[in-house]
Amino acid sequence: MKQETGPRRVLIEKHKKFSESALWRLQREYFDQAGIDAWVNQVPFYITSNPFIATCYAKLVIAFIRDWIKKNPDAKNHPFYILELGTGSGRFSFFMLKILQELLQGLGLEEIQLVYIMSDFTKNNIKYWEDHPALKPYLEKGLVDFAIYDMESDRSITLFKKNIQLNTETLVNPLTVFANYIFDTVSHDSFAIREGKLYELLISLSTDDTNMKNNRPINMEKINTDYHINEIHGSYYHDPHLDAILETYKNTLKETSFLFPVGTFRAIKYLKKLAHDKLFIISTDKGYSTLETLDHLGHPSISFHGSFSMMVNFHAIAEYFKTSGGGACLQTTRKGIKTSVFSSGFDLKDMPETYMTIQERVEGYSPGDYFILHRRISDSFQECNLDTLASHMQMALWDPHIYLKLTNRINAILGESDKETIDFMAANMKNLAANYYYMPKSECILFEIGVFFHAIKNYQQALDYYKQAMPYVGEQFGLYYNMALCLHHSDAQEEALIYFKKALELDKESKETEEWITFIEKKLSEQKT
Ligand SMILES: C[S@@+](CC[C@H](N)C(=O)[O-])C[C@H]1O[C@@H](n2cnc3c(N)ncnc32)[C@H](O)[C@@H]1O
């Protein structure tokens, strides 16, 4: 009898320091190869890439710049640089640029020189941003630039377009840094506390041989992790700030395992060096902000979703800034993602407008709170009437990503909804369109706005949006057919005929298109006779 043989277990690495694990290399390879496709149904992005979070950040930055200029009047003669780390798709950056520009104009602050730098470690993302139509106007104005920056290395950061290097000469004002969903992506060490002793956690990785090709794992989600503990005596990092944090944990935490964001610390130290020690950092991620929440944790759990992510130890990052001439504001612990603000070279409490904005936008109704509320509505929108959905869109600041989830429901209830709400929605369609940031394989909001106007019989507006949708949706039966209908209702029968004929070329089986063609041809010939 033939014996069944199952997959064989392969050890990929044994007892590695967490920050030196092959996991980080695999993660980098994933982002490098996937480029923009990482965000097509794999790596979650909405939570940190929406107009609400961008508005919070923009208001914080403007408050900070105003505070800084008040204290240092000469600062207005030098550019304020904002560096976005691990930018990814660029959707957040687009909203930031749009809102920053509106705020600068609206508040009469146009004389402030602002340069927003979208950075990532992989060129593949930069290629996507360079050709993106929504970023073009900001590139032309010089408000945005791009740079390669790998947080795991201290290589120089040079702006692609302006060809300026970030260094102590160019960075006169503090460097503002945005770090969304990235502190969890760069390397960490891991430790355990048992009965007042500190241990490093060493990781082993294994997988089935069926998940191996050319000596490397194919699918990260099929990797198993095991931990081994090794007691630490004396200084671990030979860095007084980092070692002091570990010492505090050893003396305070009872029994736990925790991550230590060494990749983040490396980047912070490098950026501090470039910017005369002066940094203003805003970060949103999953994480722990207090000693209490760091205690009684199991070994680090890694969640895989194309790439992988972990919980950021915001508490350790805050301790680092507080003990090295800066400060930190961490929001009171609550469920969901956390927004944190850090400063180096100055105290946030000495910046009144910034501090008030932090109270309002971080400690108050924060990006995490917005996301929780938005999710609740998104889960139950089938029960909502149009005025609730309109308020939801208002809360989401007319984000196309949200509208696309609601569009079927909205179109279905338009006929039974009141005129006041429909008019309100119609008046805001231009805001929805202005927030369009194209991402591959996602629906086109311009087409959906066309459908909205079509449904309320505003055929001219519908046609206008269908035309704008053309470059994005391409040669598509639905688009030509809808345009033909709008043209017919606008009494442009000859043009309608052209569009019905184009639609029929794209779907030769469409009986109703044939019927429309026959109907209009007959109508036109009757008009001639
Ligand atoms: C989880 S995504 C977050 C993207 C974006 N910030 C967001 O909130 O959606 C992580 C991003 O960090 C980039 N990244 C990974 N390792 C990096 C490193 N060592 N230095 C800089 N960026 C890195 C990836 O290419 C990817 O764009």
Side-chain angles (χ1 to χ4, degrees):
M1 201 172 78
K2 201 175 165 198
Q3 205 172 341
E4 290 278 322
T5 51
R8 200 170 48 84
R9 187 129 293 258
V10 179
L11 189 65
I12 303 168
E13 64 183 19
K14 192 173 174 195
H15 298 171
K16 277 272 183 181
K17 196 171 162 176
F18 203 77
S19 57
E20 289 167 10
S21 165
L23 279 175
W24 306 107
R25 178 175 45 78
L26 294 169
Q27 163 109 302
R28 289 165 71 86
E29 284 174 4
Y30 169 78
F31 278 116
D32 191 32
Q33 283 160 15
I36 186 67
D37 289 335
W39 289 273
V40 181
N41 297 331
Q42 288 199 46
V43 180
F45 68 90
Y46 182 72
I47 196 163
T48 49
S49 298
N50 60 65
F52 185 87
I53 186 172
T55 304
C56 293
Y57 280 39
K59 296 230 162 162
L60 282 163
V61 169
I62 295 293
F64 170 68
I65 291 176
R66 294 216 291 206
D67 276 337
W68 190 260
I69 290 177
K70 240 180 236 162
K71 284 185 187 296
N72 310 276
D74 181 51
K76 62 176 174 310
N77 300 318
H78 304 279
F80 283 87
Y81 289 96
I82 304 172
L83 176 66
E84 184 181 351
L85 305 175
T87 296
S89 69
R91 194 174 196 266
F92 169 86
S93 334
F94 162 65
F95 293 128
M96 263 313 294
L97 289 162
K98 185 166 171 285
I99 299 159
L100 272 177
Q101 183 171 275
E102 282 164 14
L103 285 175
L104 289 173
Q105 282 169 1
L107 296 169
L109 299 172
E110 287 106 326
E111 82 281 4
I112 290 172
Q113 305 164 52
L114 220 154
V115 182
Y116 191 86
I117 308 160
M118 297 166 66
S119 81
D120 209 292
F121 84 108
T122 165
K123 273 206 294 289
N124 291 335
N125 288 343
I126 297 192
K127 270 192 224 132
Y128 182 70
W129 312 330
E130 274 193 306
D131 297 331
H132 203 295
L135 297 173
K136 246 187 199 122
Y138 304 104
L139 262 178
E140 281 161 12
K141 281 190 196 116
L143 187 58
V144 69
D145 213 319
F146 308 138
I148 293 282
Y149 173 46
D150 181 346
M151 293 167 67
E152 307 273 10
S153 93
D154 297 348
R155 254 173 263 139
S156 58
I157 307 171
T158 304
L159 309 197
F160 263 42
K161 303 283 168 194
K162 295 191 196 303
N163 197 23
I164 291 171
Q165 211 181 79
L166 296 188
N167 55 35
T168 46
E169 273 170 40
T170 49
L171 294 174
V172 176
N173 289 324
L175 176 65
T176 296
V177 178
F178 292 164
N180 288 339
Y181 210 175
I182 172 73
F183 285 167
D184 70 336
T185 305
V186 288
S187 59
H188 294 66
D189 277 331
S190 62
F191 299 92
I193 308 278
R194 302 275 182 278
E195 295 170 349
K197 289 185 182 157
L198 178 67
Y199 298 85
E200 62 177 343
L201 270 182
L202 303 174
I203 191 167
S204 299
L205 303 178
S206 61
T207 191
D208 286 351
D209 58 354
T210 50
N211 189 37
M212 292 295 283
K213 194 175 171 190
N214 298 333
N215 247 345
R216 53 203 319 136
I218 303 165
N219 184 348
M220 277 200 276
E221 290 173 41
K222 293 186 181 158
I223 294 177
N224 294 308
T225 51
D226 285 302
Y227 293 96
H228 170 86
I229 61 172
N230 193 26
E231 192 177 348
I232 296 168
H233 301 280
S235 151
Y236 190 78
Y237 286 114
H238 305 290
D239 174 310
H241 300 294
L242 302 190
D243 286 334
I245 302 170
L246 288 182
E247 191 62 21
T248 307
Y249 288 171
K250 186 170 125 182
N251 297 333
T252 342
L253 300 175
K254 293 194 172 60
E255 173 143 343
T256 195
S257 300
F258 61 88
L259 287 166
F260 207 72
V262 274
T264 296
F265 284 129
R266 178 189 185 130
I268 290 169
K269 285 187 206 170
Y270 178 60
L271 296 174
K272 271 174 73 158
K273 216 158 64 188
L274 299 186
H276 303 274
D277 245 11
K278 292 194 193 66
L279 298 178
F280 177 58
I281 303 182
I282 315 173
S283 173
T284 299
D285 224 315
K286 302 180 296 184
Y288 299 110
S289 309
T290 60
L291 273 174
E292 294 72 46
T293 49
L294 279 170
D295 214 349
H296 308 294
L297 297 174
H299 289 341
S301 79
I302 305 177
S303 52
F304 291 97
H305 33 64
S307 59
F308 64 87
S309 61
M310 282 173 287
M311 297 290 275
V312 174
N313 187 341
F314 277 129
H315 178 268
I317 302 174
E319 287 305 294
Y320 174 79
F321 280 105
K322 285 183 197 163
T323 56
S324 60
C329 282
L330 304 181
Q331 57 183 191
T332 311
T333 296
R334 58 195 98 160
K335 259 206 147 104
I337 51 159
K338 296 178 173 53
T339 299
S340 308
V341 184
F342 307 102
S343 68
S344 172
F346 58 92
D347 193 341
L348 291 165
K349 291 210 175 85
D350 295 335
M351 312 297 257
E353 196 176 333
T354 314
Y355 195 71
M356 290 304 291
T357 314
I358 292 173
Q359 295 313 309
E360 189 190 335
R361 300 269 168 181
V362 177
E363 179 52 24
Y365 184 48
S366 68
D369 297 314
Y370 160 76
F371 187 71
I372 288 173
L373 211 52
H374 139 73
R375 273 292 270 275
R376 177 71 190 88
I377 298 281
S378 290
D379 288 346
S380 59
F381 69 88
Q382 290 296 358
E383 299 144 34
C384 296
N385 53 20
L386 196 64
D387 44 350
T388 309
L389 297 179
S391 297
H392 185 50
M393 285 309 303
Q394 186 81 338
M395 180 181 91
L397 302 173
W398 298 92
D399 186 346
H401 184 79
I402 305 296
Y403 188 83
L404 289 169
K405 290 186 191 301
L406 310 178
T407 180
N408 286 343
R409 171 77 184 156
I410 290 175
N411 294 333
I413 56 176
L414 273 175
E416 68 206 44
S417 300
D418 62 280
K419 185 172 176 322
E420 200 180 11
T421 311
I422 294 173
D423 287 350
F424 176 67
M425 299 272 309
N428 274 291
M429 287 294 146
K430 61 178 184 313
N431 297 330
L432 202 51
N435 279 339
Y436 184 36
Y437 186 80
Y438 168 79
M439 303 245 306
K441 300 195 185 135
S442 65
E443 307 281 315
C444 173
I445 193 67
L446 303 170
F447 180 80
E448 291 304 330
I449 299 175
V451 172
F452 171 87
F453 281 118
H454 195 156
I456 63 167
K457 300 191 170 61
N458 185 336
Y459 299 115
Q460 278 317 307
Q461 290 269 37
L463 272 170
D464 189 30
Y465 280 103
Y466 285 146
K467 275 186 200 144
Q468 289 183 52
M470 256 182 181
Y472 297 99
V473 300
E475 301 262 301
Q476 212 193 72
F477 169 80
L479 182 68
Y480 285 121
Y481 186 82
N482 283 5
M483 288 178 82
L485 285 176
C486 290
L487 287 161
H488 163 70
H489 290 300
S490 311
D491 228 6
Q493 306 306 341
E494 286 182 4
E495 264 192 278
L497 188 60
I498 294 170
Y499 277 85
F500 275 127
K501 284 184 175 169
K502 281 186 184 169
L504 192 64
E505 275 170 33
L506 293 164
D507 181 0
K508 296 198 168 54
E509 312 282 297
S510 170
K511 288 274 163 282
E512 74 258 66
T513 314
E514 277 178 8
E515 283 164 17
W516 271 112
I517 291 172
T518 314
F519 173 75
I520 295 178
E521 279 176 342
K522 192 165 163 237
K523 197 170 171 152
L524 284 172
S525 74
E526 280 168 7
Q527 276 170 4
K528 277 188 196 138
T529 54

